Amino acid sequence: MESEIVLNDLSRQYAYEGSNTDYDGFRRRIRSQSNNRREFTLPQADRGKDAWLFLAGCFMVEALVWGFPFSFGVFQEYYTTHEPFASKPAGIAVIGTSSTGIMYLGSPILFAAFKRWPHIRRICVLAGLAITVMSMIAASFATEVSHLILTQGVLYACGGLLLYSPTIIFLDEWFVQRKGLAFGIMWAGTGVSGVVLPFIMSGLLGRFDFRITLRAYGIALAVLSSPLLFFIRPRLPLAQTSLQRRINMSFLWMSTFWIFQTCNIFQGLGYFIPGIYLPTYARSQGMSGAEGTVILALVNLGVVFGSIWAGALTDRMHVSSVMLICSLGAALAVFLFWGLSVSLPMLCLFGLLYGLTAGGFSANYTGIIQSVRNRDTAVDSGMVFGFLAAGRGIGAVASGPLSEALLRMHIWRGEAKLGYGTGYGLLIIFTGITATMGSASWFARRIGWT
């Protein structure tokens, strides 16, 4: 019976990889091994010690890789007020958006490589860890903003992409029935790290400088990540075939995919702006750096719970409905609590509500993939995820220069009331509108477009 279960699991894997394996021949080999008492079993999916240890490892990798760029608001505030960067601050926002954006944008290329050469996945994890550590050390020697963009932004993103991406492929194997919840828990790692890291980084930057802070994080990344690599491994064995693996890209011709992708891109255009500018905004309103750090930490705290609840909901209801809740909730938080606030309590409330709603948006990816696969079961889940991540990356990269341009306009400064009249008014409006656009898939479904 166990060999039949193994056969079914591996058959699904061969089908997933698009190979033309001789299943009858493979069945005979399995039975032969069973008769000779050399049968093997796969670790249990969705439950069991191995699955949960794997998920715990993914949670920590998520926290270490993504928590740092999502805490960039602390560095944004430091770089704009300290030399050698304060005298020429142009491009500082690009550091944070390039690190997140490139990790998103590179996903389709890397997922395609994993599909073609699955044996490189574990190698990429090791290479990625080495590159992220080197990027932190290299950034500590920066003397210009352009140096930080190349190291703390681009190089860190390349290493983080290599380290993190295999976990997405492996998690798809380890969790089947609880996939949405599992992804939500993993992505909550960004929020947990984002709660803790701003305080650590702010303390280090205040006591030392950015050079020691970056080197310290590079060392911590190496020490904390290395033991996790034992648990970050695939559940299914590699297909024993030399045939080329065909990548099914038929979803690129589906209107369903492009409706979801359009919502995803627009939501990404504004999603990263509060995380970058809230500490600077707080400082402009006379608050201390510590208070700005608290606001940023509350955003990330909201992301923890937002990722989990949104991921769990996608297992129970249609993804467009969950996207509606996330999008409209985030838009209301922006327009009401950021736009109408110049005090610490209101900004803290905004940070928590924004993280809880907007922070759960990416947890909808598993639901989007399922909706696409309902149209064509042969579609490769990894490639759909990769293109969704790339769409979010477009928003992340574009939001850096866009946000700087909006701030330079100074529209409504001194004319409008409360947050809208602080010079950040146009930025607030832009963030709220892009958040609202994420709900368009719900309306498209109502008129039969998805």
Side-chain angles (χ1 to χ4, degrees):
M1 182 64 172
E2 287 181 342
S3 64
E4 292 295 327
I5 293 174
V6 174
L7 176 61
N8 289 337
D9 277 327
L10 289 178
S11 297
R12 284 195 296 270
Q13 172 69 353
Y14 284 124
Y16 176 80
E17 292 180 347
S19 66
N20 295 317
T21 304
D22 180 356
Y23 293 127
D24 291 334
F26 183 66
R27 183 186 295 273
R28 287 192 294 271
R29 290 195 297 274
I30 290 293
R31 284 175 174 168
S32 175
Q33 289 179 358
S34 179
N35 292 334
N36 292 322
R37 299 181 179 274
R38 288 181 293 161
E39 61 190 54
F40 62 93
T41 58
L42 294 175
Q44 194 174 19
D46 290 301
R47 56 182 60 84
K49 180 189 70 175
D50 291 331
W52 291 110
L53 283 175
F54 167 79
L55 185 58
C58 290
F59 176 91
M60 287 300 298
V61 168
E62 173 85 17
L64 292 169
V65 172
W66 288 95
F68 182 73
F70 272 75
S71 303
F72 179 74
V74 174
F75 285 92
Q76 166 94 2
E77 195 275 333
Y78 178 89
Y79 291 149
T80 55
T81 55
H82 292 75
E83 294 297 344
F85 312 111
S87 57
K88 296 181 179 180
I92 288 178
V94 177
I95 302 168
T97 56
S98 62
S99 62
T100 53
I102 291 172
M103 280 197 279
Y104 284 125
L105 283 170
S107 295
I109 299 172
L110 208 54
F111 280 114
F114 291 156
K115 181 79 172 178
R116 180 64 183 84
W117 303 287
H119 61 280
I120 70 171
R121 297 178 298 185
R122 292 278 288 173
I123 299 173
C124 285
V125 172
L126 296 171
L129 176 59
I131 293 171
T132 51
V133 172
M134 287 190 296
S135 71
M136 292 291 93
I137 303 302
S140 69
F141 292 97
T143 56
E144 299 177 4
V145 173
S146 59
H147 299 163
L148 291 174
I149 293 174
L150 291 174
T151 53
Q152 189 175 346
V154 176
L155 187 60
Y156 180 88
C158 292
L161 180 65
L162 290 172
L163 174 58
Y164 168 78
S165 294
T167 64
I168 301 295
I169 302 293
F170 298 157
L171 193 144
D172 196 52
E173 299 175 2
W174 280 96
F175 288 86
V176 180
Q177 295 178 346
R178 300 179 177 179
K179 198 182 300 290
L181 176 62
F183 272 102
I185 292 174
M186 183 181 75
W187 287 329
T190 298
V192 171
S193 180
V195 172
V196 177
L197 277 182
F199 293 102
I200 295 175
M201 297 302 173
S202 181
L204 289 173
L205 289 170
R207 185 173 181 179
F208 303 105
D209 62 3
F210 81 98
R211 302 185 191 280
I212 293 179
T213 300
L214 291 174
R215 290 166 192 168
Y217 189 73
I219 295 171
L221 191 63
V223 172
L224 295 175
S225 296
S226 297
L228 301 175
L229 303 187
F230 176 77
F231 302 104
I232 307 300
R233 63 184 190 275
R235 172 176 169 263
L236 303 175
L238 295 178
Q240 302 300 312
T241 176
S242 60
L243 297 177
Q244 289 190 358
R245 296 166 176 84
R246 178 177 174 272
I247 301 176
N248 189 314
M249 306 283 283
S250 61
F251 64 91
L252 293 177
W253 284 264
M254 295 183 187
S255 61
T256 297
F257 170 77
W258 285 110
I259 288 171
F260 284 124
Q261 179 72 307
T262 301
C263 296
N264 180 48
I265 292 173
F266 274 105
Q267 199 269 352
L269 280 171
Y271 171 70
F272 301 94
I273 289 175
I276 295 173
Y277 286 103
L278 276 175
T280 309
Y281 177 81
R283 174 82 71 173
S284 72
Q285 301 308 303
M287 302 175 202
S288 66
E291 289 171 329
T293 302
V294 169
I295 299 168
L296 182 60
L298 286 172
V299 173
N300 291 314
L301 178 62
V303 171
V304 175
F305 299 102
S307 297
I308 295 174
W309 75 257
L313 277 181
T314 58
D315 290 333
R316 294 171 171 80
M317 58 192 298
H318 196 273
V319 64
S320 64
S321 299
V322 185
M323 292 171 69
L324 177 72
I325 297 171
C326 293
S327 300
L328 295 187
L332 287 173
V334 171
F335 289 130
L336 294 180
F337 294 101
W338 190 8
L340 301 179
S341 65
V342 289
S343 63
L344 180 62
M346 287 285 283
L347 282 175
C348 287
L349 183 59
F350 161 70
L352 187 61
L353 291 176
Y354 185 78
L356 188 64
T357 51
F361 192 88
S362 59
N364 291 299
Y365 286 0
T366 56
I368 295 173
I369 292 170
Q370 185 58 49
S371 293
V372 172
R373 284 178 60 83
N374 286 341
R375 301 296 181 99
D376 183 356
T377 56
V379 165
D380 185 272
S381 300
M383 291 307 300
V384 178
F385 182 92
F387 273 84
L388 288 172
R392 198 165 180 81
I394 292 172
V397 172
S399 65
L402 265 176
S403 60
E404 288 190 340
L406 291 173
L407 276 179
R408 286 195 296 267
M409 293 181 183
H410 298 297
I411 294 177
W412 305 322
R413 187 168 189 171
E415 299 177 2
K417 301 291 185 181
L418 301 174
Y420 295 107
T422 60
Y424 288 78
L426 197 56
L427 203 63
I428 294 171
I429 293 292
F430 178 78
T431 304
I433 291 175
T434 54
T436 305
M437 292 297 294
S439 65
S441 63
W442 185 87
F443 297 97
R445 182 169 178 250
R446 287 296 174 273
I447 60 179
W449 288 2
T450 63

